[in-house]
Amino acid sequence: MLALVISHLLVAFLLPPVAMRHTRAAYLVAALPPAAALCWALAHAAAVLAGNQPVERVTWSATLGLEFVFRLDTLALVMTLLVSGIGVLVLLYSRWYFETPSGDAKRSAPLLLAFAGAMFGLVLADHLLTLYIFWELTTICSFLLVGQSGVSRESRRASLQALLVTTLGGLVMLLGFIVLGETSGTYRISELAAEPPTGSAAAIATGLILVGAFTKSAQVPFHNWLPAAMVAPTPISAYLHAASMVKAGVFLVGRLTPVLSEVSYLPVVTAVFGLVTMFVGGWRALREYDLKLLLAYGTVSQLGFLMVLAGSGSYTGELALAGMLLAHGAFKATLFLVIGIVDHQTGTRDIRELSGVGRRLPWVAAMAVLAAMSMAGVPPMIGFVAKEAAFEAYLGAGPAVAVEAGLVLGSVLTVAYTARLLVGGFASKRDTMPTEVHPPPAGMLLPPAVTALLCLALGVAYPVTDELAATYAERSVGHSGEYHLGLWHGFNLPLVFSLITLFGGLTLAAYNAGLNRLRDRLPSPLDAQRGYERVMGSLERLAVGVTGRVQVGSLPTYLGIILLTVLVVPGSVLLIRVTPIEQLRWWDNVLQLPLALVILIAAAGVLRATRRITAVLLVGVIGYAIGGMFIVGGGPDLALTQFLVETLTLIAFVLVLRRLPARFTETPSSLRVRLPKVLISLAGGVFVGFAALIFSSARDTPSAVSGEYLEHAEEGTSATNVVNAIIIDFRAFDTVGELSVLAVAATGVASLVLSARSARRRKHARSDWESLAAAGRAPDERGGKGRT
Amino acid sequence: MTDPRASDGRSEAAEGAWFHSDAPAERWLLSGYSRDPRERTILLELVARVVFPTVIVFSVYLLFAGHYRSGGGFSGGLVAGQAFVLRYLAGGRLDDSSTVSMRPPVLIGIGLTTAVLTGLVPVLFGGVVLESASFTFAVPLLGKIKVVSSLFLDIGVYLLILGVVLDLLRTLGSGIEADIAAPGGGPR
């Protein structure tokens, strides 16, 4: 399993060079790993249904208890069929959709494949942290896919919104995972399910995890990123926002219901949020004119439906969930791909402009009708079969009645917007000119044809679907196992509900135009998108405010803050734990005296200096004298380094000084400003002096560690220079770490300097060119070209 | 040692002919491109060029000696970097023979990679990260030579430090110089 996941990611990494040359071939290559995954899942399907679930463990870090664990259980099998199956179809479809090898096309093939790999890993994960890693990988892939090249402002905003919302949820979810894992002692989902955690820790963890699931699956109030993300090209929307990624939240709840079976509020919360989402999505879908946006709101609505089922925890509910997952994947993928064809061949997705497309593209329309029938719940489609099971799951008393009523009402909306989609997209309209349609290539028709037929096949061959769904549902606690997915259960309540939804929905669709006029007049006090924008706006204002107060832009202030911190933190420790200064001698070596004198004179000189270069040179003198101290003290290595670094610092100072005024700007300041400066700097100096005395007298014999170093340097590293042995051998890990820090710092400083300069030069370039051109001579080419 | 032609370079520059007459006889002694003759210090330029290889050799000596005596990759890298600083100070940013053709970030990257790989190589032989081994072998003429694997970590340090110094020259040295020379520049 790990090999399959890695093969996705590996091929994705190797794909860009192929995509640069043969964009279309890249899509075909990209379809291979998901195809392999699909075949592998199908080959194992029989064994999994019989209860033989393949498990694979790879230890990642034994000390931290981190491991990758993959398990193919029934839920994973259902999701793999969707993720890999639809993945293959979407990749094949993309080969025709991106007809001109644009930048988008080149980027999308590897990203789509990487996304498929991440999603595949996510559904197989049997370890909470493994799951989290793949969860965030899908977030990143979707950010890159929705954002595309980032040229248009719209796509940048949409991708950022998707990233922010889902990452926020992901982080909260990680917190929940950690609470769950730490309190129960294991991060393995199968082990957690065997012994469901109880108590307040599990309740808190559930709340946190649900936030993650709700953001990813676009539940109210986080639903708005999904319609916004529709700026992405249609195949990407079809894959990410219909078939797989947005289902991750529903999948997560489904995956964890056995684990969280002791948490009583889980079904209530998912039912409430799910139903609200179902209404809001359906309601908004009835107003949209863009076919893709209509579908997007439809997806939001369906995700609400799925969320209700995922949290139910009952046998029939889980049965309905598995059926609905398959149904939704099949019909939503078909509809997105079909809308993509319409958009691609007519150039518009607006239902006010489309007319007579069904007559010109009969096959495309037929596929749309099949998928739409499944979405609306018309027999004998899989959508009908699953919806009947959902109605059956909530037959009962008390709160179940409310949920049932909600589901019926939500389904009425579903039927209504399905009718709006079909009529708006394909019917001939009297008052609109027939749209010009180019015939689509045959290859483009194949993927939606497969999924459209699946909508029918899964329904007609309901025993197969039932076998799959029932194996999944059997894990629910105290399952009855009586209900089975089927086309005919006799005259019963669910059938009545199905008829109500169909006729209610069609009636609603018929009067929708009038309703829309009414709706436009209604005030909409709550708008999730406006709420998101307001939150982001106030965050930015807060950031500006904080930065403005913290970054005052005055070097003396920063220095003062640093010195005060040093005085307060280590300084107070020094005062509280007064250590006596022992064995204080005036000097160890007479040569130290003249060196100290040089240092004192130079330090006094720095204070008096009015020219910058004088100050810098005097600081250099101090540095060299300290280097001399090292030589006298018997540390040639230290002295050598001190001299070299001092020289380099001096040179860097001199180089920079070319840009600075020669003299210090001395502004006459009042005593109130100068006194604190003097006090702080004096206190800083006294502190450093005393600290040096105390620290150096605290130890007069070599410590145990130094002794060890001295003893083992020769035999352990065959080095006679102990300093070097420490740097390169004993503490080599530190050295490598410091090297990385140095590399990052150097690169950072260089980019800052270079970017500031190029910005400045651009500003000057135009005005100078104009003035030089006016003066009648060309600018100095050699001077303008920096050798960088 | 001073080139007599350099002194009358200023008057020739006014006529626009100095550029050809001032070309050095020996390419390695003076570079063709140079800064404004008014700023040029021929003696310093020449000394820098003569001293340069010696300093580089000294830096390599420090690198190898570090294991037994004072020195090491850090000091060696700094000395090598300062050799380039000297060349820059003498020749200015247009003296392109004074800089390595490799861009400093690449050098930094190579140094870091060398250091990290040195740490990881022992793992391939079943050792611990950053473990070191020493090999002794005899070479004709030179006698017995001992190589300690941690030397490569030192070489990584050396390259990285050299890269950092060159980056400093690129940004604060020739960068600021180009800035001043550019239209609209000048000290502020």
Side-chain angles (χ1 to χ4, degrees):
Chain A
M1 276 175 269
L2 184 70
L4 272 173
V5 174
I6 288 179
S7 74
H8 279 74
L9 301 178
L10 209 63
V11 175
F13 272 114
L14 299 177
L15 212 50
V18 181
M20 292 314 273
R21 289 175 157 218
H22 306 285
T23 311
R24 292 179 160 191
Y27 281 100
L28 298 182
V29 175
L32 292 178
L38 184 67
C39 294
W40 172 81
L42 285 175
H44 282 77
V48 170
L49 292 181
N52 274 331
Q53 302 167 346
V55 182
E56 207 171 287
R57 281 175 69 170
V58 179
T59 306
W60 168 12
S61 161
T63 352
L64 295 173
L66 292 178
E67 49 185 10
F68 284 107
V69 188
F70 296 107
R71 172 194 291 273
L72 184 73
D73 62 356
T74 327
L75 181 60
L77 181 66
V78 171
M79 287 298 290
T80 307
L81 295 182
L82 281 179
V83 169
S84 301
I86 295 181
V88 172
L89 293 173
V90 166
L91 282 165
L92 290 178
Y93 176 87
S94 302
R95 184 220 172 282
W96 278 278
Y97 185 85
F98 294 106
E99 55 183 343
T100 48
S102 61
D104 284 1
K106 290 190 176 76
R107 189 171 29 252
S108 294
L111 277 175
L112 271 173
L113 180 60
F115 176 81
M119 204 61 209
F120 186 48
L122 170 67
V123 301
L124 289 178
D126 189 32
H127 189 278
L128 290 174
L129 297 180
T130 313
L131 195 150
Y132 176 73
I133 289 169
F134 286 108
W135 180 280
E136 289 301 7
L137 277 180
T138 62
T139 305
I140 294 166
C141 289
S142 102
F143 170 71
L144 295 173
L145 280 166
V146 174
Q148 288 295 318
S149 51
V151 172
S152 83
R153 183 157 187 252
E154 210 186 2
S155 64
R156 283 202 306 271
R157 283 180 57 164
S159 57
L160 193 64
Q161 187 178 358
L163 182 76
L164 285 178
V165 173
T166 50
T167 314
L168 172 82
L171 285 176
V172 176
M173 181 185 82
L174 177 64
L175 212 60
F177 282 174
I178 291 170
V179 170
L180 206 59
E182 290 301 318
T183 49
S184 33
T186 175
Y187 281 88
R188 291 281 298 274
I189 296 172
S190 47
E191 286 172 10
L192 283 165
E195 271 180 78
T198 52
S200 54
I204 293 168
T206 309
L208 297 172
I209 291 170
L210 279 182
V211 174
F214 284 177
T215 50
K216 195 82 161 182
S217 274
Q219 302 291 303
V220 168
F222 309 110
H223 62 285
N224 250 75
W225 69 263
L226 199 154
M230 285 301 136
V231 294
T234 305
I236 291 166
S237 305
Y239 193 34
L240 268 65
H241 306 123
S244 56
M245 182 179 93
V246 289
K247 287 224 183 71
V250 175
F251 161 80
L252 179 71
V253 175
R255 169 64 85 215
L256 292 182
T257 33
V259 176
L260 306 173
S261 57
E262 300 291 323
V263 179
S264 54
Y265 72 79
L266 176 68
V268 185
V269 173
T270 51
V272 170
F273 278 90
L275 285 176
V276 172
T277 309
M278 200 174 172
F279 285 134
V280 170
W283 185 253
R284 286 294 302 271
L286 282 174
R287 272 175 55 179
E288 294 302 332
Y289 290 102
D290 183 327
L291 285 176
K292 218 169 138 188
L293 267 184
L294 199 162
L295 270 183
Y297 278 108
T299 307
V300 171
S301 170
Q302 294 288 316
L303 286 171
F305 187 18
L306 286 167
M307 191 57 84
V308 175
L309 297 176
S312 74
S314 71
Y315 170 78
T316 326
E318 305 231 308
L319 199 65
L321 173 66
M324 205 61 208
L325 275 176
L326 286 170
H328 182 252
F331 67 67
K332 209 32 92 53
T334 316
L335 288 173
F336 264 109
L337 296 181
V338 164
I339 296 304
I341 294 176
V342 171
D343 184 16
H344 199 259
Q345 305 307 125
T346 65
T348 178
R349 296 194 302 247
D350 195 317
I351 60 179
R352 286 165 298 194
E353 293 170 14
L354 288 167
S355 175
V357 178
R359 192 166 299 162
R360 303 287 306 277
L361 301 173
W363 287 108
V364 174
M367 292 172 207
V369 168
L370 276 182
M373 278 165 68
S374 183
M375 180 149 88
V378 179
M381 311 309 247
I382 171 68
F384 167 76
V385 172
K387 205 169 269 184
E388 288 258 288
F391 288 147
E392 174 76 26
Y394 283 93
L395 284 180
V401 177
V403 179
E404 184 87 5
L407 288 183
V408 173
L409 218 64
S411 303
V412 169
L413 292 174
T414 308
V415 176
Y417 71 70
T418 310
R420 180 179 169 80
L421 176 84
L422 270 188
V423 173
F426 297 96
S428 303
K429 290 160 211 162
R430 259 169 293 164
D431 48 351
T432 317
M433 287 280 288
T435 322
E436 196 183 328
V437 186
H438 309 285
M444 213 169 169
L445 292 178
L446 190 70
V450 172
T451 49
L453 284 177
L454 264 181
C455 295
L456 182 64
L458 286 171
V460 175
Y462 63 84
V464 179
T465 320
D466 180 62
E467 173 81 24
L468 199 59
T471 327
Y472 163 66
E474 269 161 18
R475 63 178 197 161
S476 62
V477 189
H479 71 88
S480 54
E482 287 158 9
Y483 189 85
H484 286 282
L485 291 180
L487 284 171
W488 183 248
H489 293 100
F491 290 104
N492 56 7
L493 271 176
L495 187 67
V496 175
F497 290 146
S498 286
L499 291 175
I500 291 176
T501 50
L502 278 178
F503 286 107
L506 290 175
T507 320
L508 186 61
Y511 292 102
N512 189 41
L515 270 175
N516 268 344
R517 276 194 291 280
L518 189 70
R519 265 195 292 255
D520 287 341
R521 250 175 283 151
L522 284 178
S524 55
L526 286 172
D527 186 334
Q529 188 61 24
R530 216 172 298 153
Y532 166 81
E533 277 157 17
R534 205 166 292 162
V535 167
M536 294 316 291
S538 34
L539 253 182
E540 275 165 21
R541 271 196 299 282
L542 183 72
V544 169
V546 168
T547 314
R549 272 171 190 76
V550 174
Q551 303 278 326
V552 287
S554 147
L555 197 56
T557 311
Y558 295 152
L559 272 177
I561 291 172
I562 293 171
L563 275 178
L564 274 178
T565 317
V566 169
L567 281 174
V568 169
V569 182
S572 55
V573 176
L574 206 65
L575 277 185
I576 294 165
R577 310 184 57 179
V578 186
T579 339
I581 303 169
E582 291 163 3
Q583 301 173 319
L584 190 62
R585 296 178 299 277
W586 284 105
W587 63 79
D588 288 319
N589 187 322
V590 190
L591 272 176
Q592 284 173 336
L593 274 184
L595 283 171
L597 204 64
V598 169
I599 292 175
L600 286 177
I601 292 172
V606 173
L607 283 180
R608 304 291 309 158
T610 53
R611 293 173 67 90
R612 284 176 204 272
I613 189 88
T614 321
V616 164
L617 289 176
L618 284 171
V619 170
V621 169
I622 298 177
Y624 286 120
I626 290 175
M629 288 280 201
F630 290 147
I631 291 185
V632 172
D637 263 277
L638 210 52
L640 177 64
T641 312
Q642 171 76 17
F643 283 133
L644 290 171
V645 170
E646 200 57 49
T647 312
L648 196 66
T649 320
L650 208 59
I651 290 166
F653 263 127
V654 172
L655 291 177
V656 175
L657 281 188
R658 292 181 293 177
R659 264 309 200 190
L660 293 172
R663 287 172 188 279
F664 289 110
T665 42
E666 197 83 46
T667 45
S669 52
S670 66
L671 198 67
R672 256 186 58 223
V673 181
R674 292 185 70 154
L675 197 63
K677 281 190 190 173
V678 171
L679 281 180
I680 291 176
S681 41
L682 267 182
V686 169
F687 165 74
V688 171
F690 267 99
L693 273 181
I694 289 172
F695 294 154
S696 56
S697 73
R699 200 166 64 201
D700 49 1
T701 52
S703 74
V705 180
S706 320
E708 290 279 306
Y709 283 158
L710 286 170
E711 205 175 297
H712 293 294
E714 179 95 51
E715 48 151 320
T717 70
S718 62
T720 45
N721 178 359
V722 181
V723 178
N724 207 53
I726 292 173
I727 294 174
I728 296 301
D729 232 296
F730 294 131
R731 316 214 52 179
F733 197 65
D734 294 8
T735 308
V736 173
E738 281 154 16
L739 286 183
S740 335
V741 172
L742 197 59
V744 170
T747 314
V749 170
S751 355
L752 267 179
V753 173
L754 292 176
S755 74
R757 210 173 67 225
S758 67
R760 209 163 48 230
R761 193 176 299 167
R762 265 202 304 278
K763 211 174 75 189
H764 283 299
R766 193 191 295 165
S767 59
D768 286 330
W769 180 277
E770 279 163 3
S771 61
L772 284 168
R777 65 195 178 94
D780 180 13
E781 282 291 327
R782 239 169 61 198
K785 248 189 276 169
R787 272 199 0 126
T788 49
Chain B
M1 194 96 175
T2 322
D3 191 338
R5 279 172 295 178
S7 57
D8 55 7
R10 197 178 305 172
S11 58
E12 279 178 348
E15 297 157 25
W18 67 271
F19 193 78
H20 302 287
S21 64
D22 204 32
E26 297 284 334
R27 282 291 295 174
W28 65 274
L29 278 176
L30 293 170
S31 71
Y33 276 115
S34 141
R35 58 176 70 180
D36 191 322
R38 278 165 295 183
E39 292 175 8
R40 201 166 184 185
T41 44
I42 301 287
L43 197 59
L44 180 62
E45 228 173 290
L46 206 63
V47 167
R49 277 159 180 276
V50 172
V51 164
F52 182 77
T54 320
V55 180
I56 294 288
V57 169
F58 177 58
S59 80
V60 175
Y61 162 77
L62 280 180
L63 165 67
F64 284 99
H67 212 60
Y68 311 100
R69 280 175 288 277
S70 292
F74 188 74
S75 334
L78 279 176
V79 169
Q82 283 171 20
F84 285 99
V85 170
L86 184 62
R87 288 288 291 268
Y88 164 73
L89 289 180
R93 84 192 153 93
L94 293 176
D95 181 3
D96 53 356
S97 58
S98 70
T99 40
V100 276
S101 58
M102 200 176 278
R103 291 173 57 241
V106 179
L107 209 55
I108 293 177
I110 292 176
L112 193 59
T113 315
T114 313
V116 172
L117 287 184
T118 312
L120 293 180
V121 163
V123 180
L124 293 182
F125 299 100
V128 193
V129 174
L130 288 166
E131 200 174 292
S132 68
S134 85
F135 312 95
T136 315
F137 46 86
V139 177
L141 290 178
L142 293 176
K144 229 159 79 174
I145 286 191
K146 192 163 75 175
V147 173
V148 185
S149 67
S150 59
L151 174 70
F152 292 97
L153 185 64
D154 239 1
I155 293 176
V157 176
Y158 177 93
L159 292 175
L160 186 122
I161 298 295
L162 178 59
V164 169
V165 176
L166 288 178
D167 219 0
L168 184 91
L169 275 186
R170 176 175 74 127
T171 52
L172 299 182
S174 47
I176 290 181
E177 196 181 327
D179 228 19
I180 294 171
R188 39 171 94 184

